[in-house]
Amino acid sequence: MSRITISAVFITATLVLLGACATQPVADVCTGKLPGNLDRAISEVEHRLRQGCDYHFNAYFTSLLAIAAENPDRDNPRRFSDHLMNVQADGVISRRQASALYNRFFNVKFVSFTGDYNTCAQACPVRTQILTDMRAELTDKEMGLVKVSDDPERFYRADNLFLEADLVLEATCRACQGGRPSPDELASRNR
Amino acid sequence: MSIPLVINLRPRLLILLAMALLTTNAHATATGPVVRLFPTTVLEDIRETGQAAEAMENSLQEVIGRLDLQQQLFSESLCDGADGDQGCDRIAKQLGATYLEMLNIMSDGLPDMERAVDSTRRSLEKRLREELGQRTTPTMLQNTLLGEVSATPQTVRPALRGKSGIRLSGRFKQYYDLVATHNNGPSQSLAVVAADIYLDMEEASMLIAATQQEISRAALMEQLNQSFGLITPEMSAVVSGVKEILFGEAMTNAPIAAPPNAVGETDFVSPLAM
């Protein structure tokens, strides 16, 4: 094979490789600064996710919340809902993940206090853990409902719900135990 | 001395007030498992607790009136710190004797209160276990707490707790009458109400039992004090506490077991929402 032919093959191969690289996300595409406007930031995030930056989804979501907190608006939950629906439609996250994320930040109800089995069987054995998770979720709800959505009334409802869940769980779980403190309750007291 | 225990009983007994009022919600919701937290048997227990309270009230009213007069006389006679004054000693002894009488009346009345409170506690425990523990999932429980049946107009009813100036038995009767005749009350979280009452009844049962044990010791201490003609600050405190419990004087503002605030949902409902 002549030198010219070898050179041609080499150049062609290089071009093909470079072309292939062009379809992969590069660091700048995935990590660049997002616009300060929430709608534009959401569009940008969705664009990047479609470019293959899936693994940045959580960071993007956090960034979007921070941008939204700078622009609190009662309509922001709708923006986030639409965004999560789009991202789910693109296959970046599942429907369940989208729902969990939305409800964690923008719903009064607690994702961490759900279940399909009876309370005595499902919630009471892990009551302390449920309350710990709910407390953490309440912090996220403060972000979503107060800072992002400017809707403190709904956050107060969530806060109230948390306190009531604590009270009702304590009473119900004790009743499940026939009036005795549950093992979980005793363990939390001893800690 | 045992008197602080007697005083500690006060907030627990105040809970009884709340218990009766809270049951005004018993017929509030027409659907869902929560409504069964307050069947007739529980209401009957509440009624009996009210009767026990009334009986204790009636028996204590006269003796507390006497204590008031004697205390006033003691104070107006400038007997505070007047050691060795025969007149003051006499008043002090009379006061102590009346105080002992009050302790005895309490001792007689507490078993009935204990039975009533314990009965309410046990019936609520059964309802909580069955309705919220076994027939309800965490998801349903959360919905119940949020009062998914919303927008029911608030009806006029007594405040849950706080300064009322109403007798203990009077409140029980008022609440019981409301429960017994009112079928369309405000939609509220009965689960919270039941849980609150149940936990307080548990504590009240323990405190009543402890108080009963201590009353005899308190009586003995007072008998000893009689020898020295002392009026202890604890005596005054107990008398004030009993008056607050029974006659609604200067009641403290206890936290209210309120249902979630009825704040309207925003217009937007996400398809992702639970």
Side-chain angles (χ1 to χ4, degrees), chain A residues 78 81 95 99 102-103 109-110 113-120 151 154 157 160-161 164 171-172 174-175 178-179, chain B residues 125 129 132-134 136-139 142-143 146 148 198 202 258-260 263 265-266 268 270-274:
Chain A
R78 184 193 56 75
S81 174
R95 171 87 184 186
S99 177
Y102 178 82
N103 288 303
K109 293 181 196 174
F110 285 78
F113 187 36
T114 52
D116 298 325
Y117 297 97
N118 77 47
T119 307
C120 284
D151 194 353
R154 299 192 85 215
R157 286 184 73 195
N160 203 34
L161 176 60
E164 291 185 341
T172 303
R174 195 172 292 186
Chain B
E125 181 179 290
R129 181 169 58 245
L132 297 186
Q134 294 168 348
T136 307
T137 67
T139 306
Q142 193 169 193
N143 291 338
L146 274 174
E148 296 288 65
Y198 170 64
E202 270 210 321
V263 178
E265 294 287 328
T266 51
F268 171 69
S270 168
L272 295 170
M274 289 191 290

Side-chain angles (χ1 to χ4, degrees), chain A residues 74-75 77-82 84-85 88 95 98-100 102-103 107-111 113-123 130 134 137 151 153-154 156-157 160-161 164-165 167-172 174-180, chain B residues 121 124-148 150 189-199 202-203 206 257-266 268-274:
Chain A
R74 291 284 173 113
D75 205 31
R78 184 193 56 75
R79 293 187 170 96
F80 275 90
S81 174
D82 291 346
L84 289 168
M85 293 286 281
Q88 180 248 321
R95 171 87 184 186
S99 177
Y102 178 82
N103 288 303
N107 200 331
V108 172
K109 293 181 196 174
F110 285 78
V111 177
F113 187 36
T114 52
D116 298 325
Y117 297 97
N118 77 47
T119 307
C120 284
Q122 184 171 2
I130 287 175
M134 285 178 79
E137 188 173 338
D151 194 353
E153 289 87 358
R154 299 192 85 215
Y156 297 146
R157 286 184 73 195
N160 203 34
L161 176 60
E164 291 185 341
L167 177 76
V168 171
L169 269 180
E170 182 183 351
T172 303
R174 195 172 292 186
C176 291
Q177 295 281 321
R180 298 183 304 277
Chain B
R121 182 188 64 78
L124 264 176
E125 181 179 290
K126 184 169 180 285
R127 305 313 298 181
L128 278 169
R129 181 169 58 245
E130 289 178 359
E131 300 298 333
L132 297 186
Q134 294 168 348
R135 292 183 190 157
T136 307
T137 67
T139 306
M140 289 159 64
L141 190 53
Q142 193 169 193
N143 291 338
T144 300
L145 292 177
L146 274 174
E148 296 288 65
S150 57
S189 178
L190 295 179
V192 174
V193 169
D196 200 13
I197 296 169
Y198 170 64
L199 291 174
E202 270 210 321
E203 205 173 334
M206 288 188 291
N261 299 326
V263 178
E265 294 287 328
T266 51
F268 171 69
V269 178
S270 168
L272 295 170
M274 289 191 290

Side-chain angles (χ1 to χ4, degrees), chain B residues 40-191:
Chain B
T40 317
T41 49
V42 176
L43 300 185
E44 189 59 24
D45 287 337
I46 290 163
R47 195 179 63 78
E48 285 174 12
T49 309
Q51 286 175 342
E54 187 174 12
M56 202 160 158
E57 245 172 46
N58 291 338
S59 53
L60 279 171
Q61 191 166 17
E62 188 270 330
V63 75
I64 284 181
R66 242 188 304 144
L67 270 174
D68 265 349
L69 286 174
Q70 288 169 340
Q71 206 157 16
Q72 192 182 348
L73 180 64
F74 187 84
S75 171
E76 287 174 356
S77 305
L78 305 175
C79 287
D80 265 331
D83 293 339
D85 184 289
Q86 286 190 344
C88 288
D89 285 351
R90 199 175 308 125
I91 297 172
K93 282 194 176 180
Q94 285 171 351
L95 229 169
T98 313
Y99 175 68
L100 272 175
E101 198 179 328
M102 189 196 77
L103 287 180
N104 287 334
I105 292 170
M106 283 184 76
S107 178
D108 291 343
L110 277 175
D112 285 341
M113 286 292 286
E114 184 185 35
R115 270 190 296 276
V117 166
D118 196 50
S119 180
T120 306
R121 182 188 64 78
R122 277 188 279 107
S123 55
L124 264 176
E125 181 179 290
K126 184 169 180 285
R127 305 313 298 181
L128 278 169
R129 181 169 58 245
E130 289 178 359
E131 300 298 333
L132 297 186
Q134 294 168 348
R135 292 183 190 157
T136 307
T137 67
T139 306
M140 289 159 64
L141 190 53
Q142 193 169 193
N143 291 338
T144 300
L145 292 177
L146 274 174
E148 296 288 65
V149 188
S150 57
T152 309
Q154 292 283 319
T155 53
V156 177
R157 63 196 183 95
L160 280 179
R161 297 174 192 170
K163 293 182 180 179
S164 66
I166 303 174
R167 287 169 172 240
L168 185 62
S169 59
R171 286 186 78 95
F172 272 97
K173 185 173 184 309
Q174 189 180 16
Y175 303 146
Y176 180 81
D177 287 348
L178 268 173
V179 171
T181 59
H182 189 54
N183 290 318
N184 295 305
S187 171
Q188 293 187 334
S189 178
L190 295 179

